[in-house]
Amino acid sequence: MIILDTSAVTALAGGHKTLNLLAGNMAKSPGERLNIPALCLTQAEAGEENLTQRVLAFSSVVVDSLDTMAAVSVGTLIRDGYGDPDTCHALYCALPCPELTGMSILLTGNEEAYPPGVVTVDIDSSGMLGHH
């Protein structure tokens, strides 16, 4: 699963070349989606009006809701000092779960915001998605 945090959502809405290419390519692949934690989408929209409309226009984008279990877990992560609500929701979405096989990849503009063990990829790294 590929997850976009607040910085990646903001970049996607702003026309980030590689993220836009990724979103377009994923739209052509059945079952492939870019997952955006709801609190990341909320934080990005709070920073820029109508950002959500641009991001949700991509058919490959889905929003991970903050259901009861997620809300409790994200609250615990916040209380334990793992970051702001949006960062903790992205972290929660990236954690292994029984429904998914394989590791999640968290695309971000701020890899330092996440603890060791979380697979993060800087959206501006020269090797992102195999592009050099």
Side-chain angles (χ1 to χ4, degrees):
M1 174 169 38
I2 298 177
I3 301 161
L4 279 66
D5 76 353
T6 303
S7 61
V9 171
T10 302
L12 177 64
H16 189 280
K17 184 178 178 181
T18 307
L19 288 176
N20 276 257
L21 180 62
L22 176 63
N25 287 341
M26 290 187 88
K28 299 174 189 173
S29 302
E32 296 293 325
R33 298 288 174 251
L34 294 173
N35 293 14
I36 300 175
L39 293 179
C40 293
L41 188 62
T42 301
Q43 187 63 38
E45 178 67 24
E48 184 179 333
E49 186 177 4
N50 297 322
L51 173 142
T52 302
Q53 292 172 336
R54 293 191 305 277
V55 170
L56 296 180
F58 289 100
S59 62
S60 58
V61 168
V62 295
V63 178
D64 280 319
S65 65
L66 190 66
D67 61 17
T68 304
M69 186 60 167
V72 171
S73 298
V74 170
T76 301
L77 290 169
I78 295 166
R79 185 186 64 233
D80 291 347
Y82 285 96
D84 293 330
D86 59 325
T87 301
C88 289
H89 195 192
L91 178 57
Y92 169 78
C93 290
L95 294 174
C97 63
E99 297 86 34
L100 301 172
T101 57
M103 296 288 292
S104 294
I105 299 170
L106 182 56
L107 300 182
T108 181
N110 185 17
E111 289 183 288
E112 302 80 34
Y114 300 95
V118 177
V119 180
T120 58
V121 175
D122 187 319
I123 59 173
D124 293 319
S125 69
S126 60
M128 184 176 142
L129 309 175
H131 298 289
H132 296 282

